[in-house]
């Protein structure tokens, strides 16, 4: 059996691992033709054959991370990346036919505040000529380092499934290790 090329690419920036866990759950919801890569490995041009580009990062100071906020996170025990989604999006070249969607992680105590890395990234991408596939989505952590709030992994997996259906990502069998959906999640929870 030959392995098919991915049709969805998830690019993630994560300092404490929480955003990466959400990215992996979204990818599991989308299906097996999805690749997840860290921001430091992301190409400057969307590869040919990618129908959906999913971009995620943590919300720092009500927006996308900056070099100083990444350095601050590293000082608190987080992983350091040489660039964040802000810098990557600035150099990213669109691919005809590829749609994009963004997500972020942020503190559950900031739910009501307007600041969101996902919203800012989506605005920047749209201004750079990308077609947005869906509205940005936020997932929540207990505090700066996490952990993720209860139910967020399941909500991310369900969002991935919804994205795949909405944008017509070719169907396949979900990954065997995909988290089960949260049956108690309601439409208002998404």
């Amino acid at each position: 059996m030959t392995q098919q090329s991915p049709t969805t690419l998830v690019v993630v920036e994560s300092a404490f691992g929480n955003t990466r866990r959400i990215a992996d759950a979204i990818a599991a919801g989308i299906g097996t033709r999805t690749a997840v890569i860290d921001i430091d490995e992301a190409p400057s041009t969307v590869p040919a054959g990618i129908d959906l580009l999913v971009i995620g990062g943590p919300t720092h100071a009500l927006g996308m991370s900056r070099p100083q906020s990444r350095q601050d996170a590293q000082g608190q025990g987080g992983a350091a990346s040489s660039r964040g989604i802000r810098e990557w999006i600035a150099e990213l070249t669109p691919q005809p036919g590829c749609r994009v969607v963004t997500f972020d992680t942020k503190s559950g105590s900031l739910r009501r505040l307007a600041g969101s890395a996902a919203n800012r990234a989506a605005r920047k991408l749209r201004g750079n000529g990308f077609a947005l596939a869906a509205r940005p989505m936020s997932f929540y952590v207990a505090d700066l380092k996490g952990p993720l709030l209860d139910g967020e992994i399941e909500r991310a997996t369900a969002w991935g499934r919804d994205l795949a259906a909405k944008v017509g990502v070719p169907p396949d069998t979900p990954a065997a290790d995909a988290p089960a959906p949260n049956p108690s999640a309601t439409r208002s929870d998404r």
Side-chain angles (χ1 to χ4, degrees):
M1 178 173 159
T2 59
Q3 184 177 358
Q4 295 179 324
S5 297
T7 59
T8 301
L9 180 63
V10 181
V11 176
V12 61
E13 172 189 349
S14 185
F16 296 101
N18 296 301
T19 312
R20 176 59 191 236
R21 288 183 63 211
I22 293 295
D24 290 339
I26 292 167
I30 294 170
T32 57
R33 292 189 63 196
T34 303
V36 180
I37 61 173
D38 292 318
I39 190 69
D40 285 334
E41 301 167 7
S44 59
T45 301
V46 178
I50 297 296
D51 299 317
L52 178 63
L53 176 63
V54 181
I55 302 171
T59 296
H60 287 192
L62 305 178
M64 293 181 279
S65 73
R66 296 181 181 277
Q68 182 61 50
S69 68
R70 289 192 299 276
Q71 186 176 7
D72 292 346
Q74 183 181 19
Q76 296 181 34
S81 36
S82 60
R83 64 181 174 173
I85 61 172
R86 173 189 302 271
E87 294 86 3
W88 183 65
I89 288 169
E91 69 183 35
L92 187 61
T93 303
Q95 177 74 285
C98 178
R99 290 156 295 172
V100 67
V101 65
T102 60
F103 74 94
D104 64 21
T105 53
K106 62 186 195 176
S107 172
S109 64
L110 300 178
R111 284 182 193 238
R112 304 224 186 271
L113 292 179
S116 163
N119 287 339
R120 301 234 175 154
R123 240 179 283 137
K124 190 69 149 162
L125 287 157
R126 191 172 46 244
N128 290 352
F130 282 88
L132 299 181
R135 295 184 65 182
M137 181 63 71
S138 291
F139 297 93
Y140 300 97
V141 296
D143 63 28
L144 175 71
K145 296 179 185 179
L148 290 163
L149 294 182
D150 289 343
E152 291 301 271
I153 292 291
E154 295 82 6
R155 195 165 69 88
T157 302
W159 189 62
R161 275 195 297 276
D162 289 349
L163 282 174
K166 180 176 183 172
V167 302
V169 170
D172 63 8
T173 306
D177 60 349
N182 181 357
S184 65
T186 63
R187 201 38 140 172
S188 65
D189 292 337
R190 296 181 185 150

